[in-house]
Every structure is written in structure tokens, then in C-alpha cells.
Amino acid sequence: MNDIEKIKALANSLGFEYSENVPLSRYTTFGIGGKCPLMIEASNEMGTAELVKTLSSEKLPFYIIGKGSNLLVEDGDIPMIFIHMGKAFSDISLENGVIICQAGAMLSSVSAFARDNSLTGLEFAYGIPGNMGGAVYMNAGAYGGEMKDVVISVTACDFSGNIREFTADELDFSYRHSVFTGGGYVILSARLRLTAGDKTAIAARMTELTEKRREKQPLEYRSAGSTFKRPAGTFAALLIEECGLKGYSCGDAQVSEKHSGFVVNKGGASFADVMNVIDHVKKTVYEKRGIMLECEPEIIRRG
């Protein structure tokens, strides 16, 4: 029995569904990416910890994927097993005023749940196209809010399958960073504390932020959101525009003409197209402004 067959047998024993030879382009908001040999749908914490422990002990490369909204995957065969935190692992509940949500819960769904329960503080996340695991992992934020403002604890497992809870003080949140970005853990669920608010006012704020996103961001094209992290003391989009790079393209990858902080897929962009645009932007901004931009999306390559 080869490695893939062993992991399929384990997934079956855990009650996890899986698919083989999966195009990762279906799992990323960029719509780009080659095939992985196995995509396993996580559906509970204990089973996920057991799966991670086995993959790690067998030294089989694996990757945790959610909405794929902060991910750029190379074309071709990707020799990794993917664990998908999706619909099967997306429960949201309310306990003593605290929202508890599994890692696969969409941020928009958690925000809507908060609104429906007259809880304010998560309006900023309503339009972020990711799930809870990814949002905690990178301390996602927008319009003045960040996950660090609302997360009070996170449950995760290490690569030996041990499950533990991290308190807010242990999460090491900073700009696009958490204790988890260093690797070694898989986020399973999070607990959020919000404050009581007016449902109508919460809904109005969500509508306002949605309209701002539509007005300012190139939502008509596929992308991974902001392509570059914010440099100290300035903004990536401003630097890119000042360097005359708005609209710069390679193939179907382009620096958005609507918001230069976004590199977008205008239809048929390849991984190489996007990387060519990113590399050109980084090189040009460094040469003209002396600032080396850093990519915000994670990049998965074949080797």
C-alpha cells in the first residue's frame, strides 16, 4: 500500500471525505493552481489532529487550506496532501455571549451570525473572503478592525496531534501575524468576544463597508486581495502608483487599474504571469523608492 492509499484508508476510518487529483484552482480565489494528489475534508477536531499526526510522523508534506483567499499556487502537479477546512468544519454557536466557530466557518457567516445576535465588533470582517482559520492565522483586518480585537482564545493542534487552547496573550497578534504563522500548529476553532449592539446599526455598517469595497476594490476580477503588505510609514498601493505601475500586465495578470495594491487575474492568468507582475513591481519600487515590498499571499510551489 503506497502513502496515498494509507492516508485514504485513515480518512475513511475517521469519516472524512476526500477527492483525488484535485485542481487547486477550484480552491483559490485567484483561480490559479495545479493539481494535488489528495484533498481531505476535515470535519472534527479529534480526527483532524489524528490526521495531522499521521502525516507528520510519516513525513508526508501537507498543507491546510481554507477559502484560499490569501494563496497563490504554482501550476503543475503539487506533491502535497491538502486538508480542507470547509463546509464540513464550519459550525458557529453562541455560549454565554461568546461566539465559538470552527476553522472552516466563513468570516462573512460569522459576521452575519454576530449581527443576527445583536453583537457588534466584527463588522469589519463581513466582506473579507476568507474563513476563520485563515483570518486568525494572519490576523486579518480591514477598515480599522483586526482579529486581535475580538479573538479571546484559539484551539489548535500541533504536528504530534496534541490539542491545546491558546489564550489571547499567547496569540502574539501583530500586523498580518500570529503565533501560528511560524508554523507547527493547525487552527481548529476560535472564540470571539463582541459587545452588545443594535442589529439595525450593525447591518447598516456592514452595508456601508460592502459598498466601500465595491467602489474601491477590483471585485470584478479574481485575486488574493491585497498583494503586498503595508510597508512602514506608507502604503504599497501608493508606492506602486507613484512608480507608474498601475495597469502593468503580463499575460492575463495585471496590477489593477482600480486599486494598484491588487494584482488581478483578468481571466486566464498563469502562476508565472502573476509572479512576473509581482517581481516587476517589487524590483521597480525598490529601484525607485528604496523599499522592498513583501507579498501578503502565501506562495506554494511544486518543489
Side-chain angles (χ1 to χ4, degrees), residues 7-85:
I7 301 305
K8 284 165 58 178
L10 175 59
N12 279 326
S13 72
L14 296 171
F16 287 4
E17 295 185 358
Y18 60 82
S19 303
E20 298 181 74
N21 298 314
V22 176
L24 292 164
S25 56
R26 297 178 186 170
Y27 287 81
T28 66
T29 55
F30 244 131
I32 295 171
K35 289 184 179 181
C36 69
L38 195 63
M39 176 77 71
I40 301 173
E41 298 290 333
S43 60
N44 62 71
E45 292 189 359
M46 294 298 293
T48 301
E50 180 64 26
L51 177 59
V52 167
K53 175 183 177 181
T54 301
L55 289 168
S56 183
S57 64
E58 295 289 333
K59 294 182 169 52
L60 297 175
F62 66 94
Y63 190 88
I64 309 300
I65 190 170
K67 182 65 175 175
S69 59
N70 199 49
L71 197 59
L72 178 58
V73 183
E74 191 170 8
D75 298 316
D77 292 334
I78 308 297
M80 303 171 74
I81 292 170
F82 281 69
I83 302 173
H84 185 221
M85 301 294 194

Side-chain angles (χ1 to χ4, degrees), residues 131-203:
N131 64 12
M132 184 53 61
V136 168
Y137 178 86
M138 65 174 293
N139 184 28
Y143 297 108
E146 295 178 286
M147 296 309 296
K148 72 178 181 63
D149 302 329
V150 296
V151 174
I152 57 172
S153 68
V154 173
T155 299
C157 69
D158 63 22
F159 286 5
S160 296
N162 302 305
I163 297 175
R164 61 161 289 194
E165 186 173 62
F166 289 77
T167 65
D169 290 341
E170 296 174 307
L171 292 172
D172 193 28
F173 279 136
S174 60
Y175 177 69
R176 301 299 177 263
H177 171 85
S178 75
V179 67
F180 305 111
T181 52
Y185 289 94
V186 175
I187 297 165
L188 301 171
S189 63
R191 296 165 62 89
L192 317 179
R193 186 178 298 283
L194 306 178
T195 55
D198 177 75
K199 185 185 296 187
T200 302
I202 294 167

Side-chain angles (χ1 to χ4, degrees), residues 253-275:
Q254 182 188 60
V255 176
S256 169
E257 295 176 303
K258 191 173 187 179
H259 188 312
S260 53
F262 287 62
V263 174
V264 299
N265 177 0
K266 296 193 74 175
S270 66
F271 173 84
D273 291 337
V274 175
M275 288 308 303

Side-chain angles (χ1 to χ4, degrees), residues 2 4 27 78 90 102-103 164 170-171 201 203 213 238 242-243 259 262 268 286 300:
N2 64 30
I4 295 297
Y27 287 81
I78 308 297
S90 61
Q102 292 181 318
R164 61 161 289 194
E170 296 174 307
L171 292 172
R213 283 189 171 92
L238 177 62
E242 286 177 345
C243 291
H259 188 312
F262 287 62
Y286 184 72
I300 296 181

Side-chain angles (χ1 to χ4, degrees), residues 175 229-239 242 289 291-293:
Y175 177 69
K229 294 182 180 179
R230 186 178 65 233
T234 186
F235 296 93
L238 177 62
L239 292 170
E242 286 177 345
R289 293 290 186 270
I291 295 173
M292 180 56 72
L293 294 178

